Amino acid sequence: MPSTRRERLINRHPGPAAGRLLALAPFVLLLLAYAVGSEIRLADNPNDKLLPSFSAIADAVQRMAFEPDRRTGSYLLWEDTVASLSRLGAGVLLATFMGAVVGIAVGLIPYARHTMSAFIAVFAMIPPLAVLPILFITFGLGELSKVVLIVFGIAPYMTRDIALRVSELPAEQIVKAQTLGASTWHIAWRIVLPQMLPRIIDTLRLSLGAAWLFLIAAEAIAAQSGLGYRIFLLRRYLAMDVILPYVFWITFLAVGFDYALRKYQGWAHPWFASQRAQA
C-alpha cells in the first residue's frame, strides 16, 4: 500500500533535541571506533604508535602546550599556533583585499572585465603547489614565500567569485544611480561595495579551507615553526600522540574562524541574513 505524503522519509524532520543528538552521533561513533581500535592494537603491542591511547594523547598535549621545551624554553603548541596564524592572517587578508578590488572592477567595469577575465581564469587553473618551488626560489625560504603561496592559491578564486556576484546585481540599481548623476566611483563605493561585503565574507569562508591547505604545505617544506612544520617533523618519529592533537587543533581553529565569520556576517549585515532566509 503506497505511503501517504506525510509518512515519506523526505517529509519527516527531527525536533531540536533529536537534531542535536543526530549531529553528535557521527563524532561519538568516531571516538568509539578509535577507542576500540586503539585498545585492540595496544593489547596486541603496548608500544604501538599508530593509535595511541587517550591518556597518551593527553600527556602529549600537556607536554606540548603547558610545559616549556627543554631546548628552546618555549611552549611549542602556542609558538606554532602564533607562527601559523600570522602567516595565514597575512595571506588571507591580502588575498581578500585583492579579490575584492579586482573582483568588483571586473564585475562592474566592462573594460576591466574584457582585460582581466580571461587572464584570471587561466591564472586560477595553475596548481598553486606546483609553483611552490618557484616561490621559494623567487622569494626565499622566509615568511614571504608562504604568504605569497596563500595569496596565489585563493586570490584568483575569490576574484572570480566576487566578480560573478557583482554581475548578478540588478541592472536597475546601476541604471537608476546613473540617472541620479552617480559616477562610476560612487556606484562602486556606495552601491556595489555595501552589497558585496556579506558576500565577500561568504567567499572568505569558502576559501579558508584551501588557505589552510597551502599553509600546511608551505610549512611542511620550509619552516622552523608552525603547526604544519611540527606535524611533518614528528612524522619521522611516528609521534601520533602529538600529531593527532595538532590535527584536531587545526580543525578546531578552522571551525572557530568559520563560526566567527558567520556570526559577524549576521551581526554586521542582518539584511543579508533575512534576505537569504527568504530565498
Side-chain angles (χ1 to χ4, degrees):
M1 183 177 179
S3 59
T4 65
R5 177 181 179 278
R6 186 178 178 81
E7 293 172 335
R8 293 191 180 98
L9 184 61
I10 59 172
N11 295 319
R12 296 180 180 178
H13 299 275
R20 285 190 286 271
L21 287 175
L22 288 172
L24 286 174
F27 298 100
V28 174
L29 289 175
L30 180 63
L31 287 175
L32 285 175
Y34 181 91
V36 172
S38 175
E39 185 70 24
I40 293 173
R41 291 188 68 93
L42 291 175
D44 198 35
N45 177 14
N47 296 320
D48 182 76
K49 292 186 175 181
L50 184 61
L51 296 178
S53 64
F54 289 123
S55 61
I57 292 176
D59 291 341
V61 172
Q62 171 71 23
R63 187 172 67 253
M64 299 298 290
F66 304 109
E67 295 179 4
D69 181 62
R70 293 178 181 176
R71 186 172 60 86
T72 63
S74 57
Y75 296 86
L76 293 180
L77 177 63
W78 309 120
E79 183 185 59
D80 293 333
T81 301
V82 170
S84 290
L85 291 185
S86 300
R87 296 161 186 151
L88 184 75
V92 167
L93 285 177
L94 189 56
T96 303
F97 177 76
M98 292 174 60
V101 172
V102 180
I104 289 176
V106 170
L108 184 64
I109 303 173
Y111 269 99
R113 183 162 53 251
H114 283 280
T115 304
M116 297 295 294
S117 287
F119 177 75
I120 295 172
V122 172
F123 205 75
M125 294 299 116
I126 301 174
L129 294 182
V131 302
L132 184 55
I134 300 174
L135 297 181
F136 282 145
I137 293 171
T138 305
F139 299 106
L141 299 178
E143 300 301 307
L144 182 59
S145 57
K146 301 174 185 61
V147 173
V148 171
L149 176 64
I150 296 172
V151 175
F152 189 92
I154 66 174
Y157 164 77
M158 298 183 75
T159 302
R160 296 181 74 188
D161 189 61
I162 292 170
L164 180 64
R165 292 168 184 253
V166 170
S167 67
E168 292 174 348
L169 289 177
E172 294 81 5
Q173 292 184 6
I174 310 299
V175 173
K176 187 178 293 184
Q178 292 183 76
T179 59
L180 295 174
S183 64
T184 300
W185 167 252
H186 281 109
I187 292 173
W189 182 254
R190 303 294 296 274
I191 296 176
V192 175
L193 182 60
Q195 296 186 74
M196 283 299 106
L197 286 176
R199 295 174 172 87
I200 290 173
I201 295 174
D202 274 345
T203 305
L204 176 58
R205 289 177 58 199
L206 293 174
S207 303
L208 275 179
W212 275 105
L213 169 66
F214 299 132
L215 172 69
I216 299 299
E219 289 181 342
I221 295 175
Q224 296 300 317
S225 63
L227 298 169
Y229 160 76
R230 195 68 57 191
I231 288 174
F232 279 82
L233 176 68
L234 295 174
R235 174 183 59 89
R236 304 171 187 171
Y237 310 104
L238 298 177
M240 293 292 283
D241 56 336
V242 179
I243 293 174
L244 288 175
Y246 262 63
V247 173
F248 175 80
W249 178 238
I250 292 173
T251 307
F252 178 80
L253 291 174
V255 173
F257 288 148
D258 184 77
Y259 179 80
L261 285 171
R262 183 159 53 87
K263 288 296 180 183
Y264 172 75
Q265 184 189 53
W267 173 78
H269 310 284
W271 60 269
F272 185 74
S274 61
Q275 188 181 72
R276 173 174 285 173
Q278 294 172 1

